[in-house]
Amino acid sequence: MKNINYLINGILAVAILILFILQFSGKKNGLLPAATTASSGEVVAGFPVAYFNVDSLLLNYNFSKDLNEQLVRKQENARANVTQQARNLQSEVDNFQYKLRNGAFATQERAEQEQQRILKKQQDLQALEERLTQELMEESQRMNAQLSDTIRLHLRQFNQDKNYQIIFGNAGGAPIYQAEAVYNITTELIEYLNKSWSGTPAE
């Protein structure tokens, strides 16, 4: 019986020693926060996980808004360019048809030359539209990558004194269906990001 008691006491002593070491090493490394404070001031048992709403962040992060405005301007300029050239081309087509109906061309060969010239302009316009569309897609991908890299960089800096082990991004189809509000860092993260951003993104 005494041997069993000694064994149990020994196991308990080792367990207490391990807990003691984990407690102090956790505080030293800052990896396991003991508690989290909710916006209401309530202290909640800590769990080193947080999440932010991606849609809200993209709508309210100034860098994201600036990039979006820049892309919209480029889309509008491209659309205006194509629209203006399409109008000019339509005017030339109407003029060609008018001349053709009224026999304004001196020869059949001259009419065919003009028709070929207009067809070439149509092909050029289609090629321009396809090129501008491709450029806008590439620009959109570049901006998305730039935005993603910037958020990741600032998220690491933001987390230096937060010590979260995992930070989820909760978007429309993301798997976070239910989470306590205390783990939602969206507002705090947006404020941090906007303080870190001032200026206009490079074109």
Side-chain angles (χ1 to χ4, degrees), residues 13-29:
V14 171
I16 290 171
L17 181 60
I18 291 172
L19 288 173
F20 182 81
I21 292 170
L22 288 175
Q23 175 71 15
F24 281 94
S25 65
K27 286 183 178 178
K28 181 178 178 181
N29 296 327

Side-chain angles (χ1 to χ4, degrees), residues 25 53 60 89 103 105 144:
S25 65
N53 186 288
N60 295 285
L89 179 59
F105 293 104
N144 285 335

Side-chain angles (χ1 to χ4, degrees), residues 20-52:
F20 182 81
I21 292 170
L22 288 175
Q23 175 71 15
F24 281 94
S25 65
K27 286 183 178 178
K28 181 178 178 181
N29 296 327
L31 295 179
L32 296 173
T36 304
T37 304
S39 57
S40 62
E42 177 188 2
V43 177
V44 181
F47 189 63
V49 171
Y51 75 94
F52 63 93

Side-chain angles (χ1 to χ4, degrees), residues 49 55 86 98 191:
V49 171
D55 297 334
Y98 175 81
E191 289 176 357

Side-chain angles (χ1 to χ4, degrees), residues 92-104:
E92 291 187 37
V93 170
D94 293 342
N95 186 48
F96 169 76
Q97 291 176 343
Y98 175 81
K99 287 181 177 180
L100 196 61
R101 285 195 305 268
N102 291 279

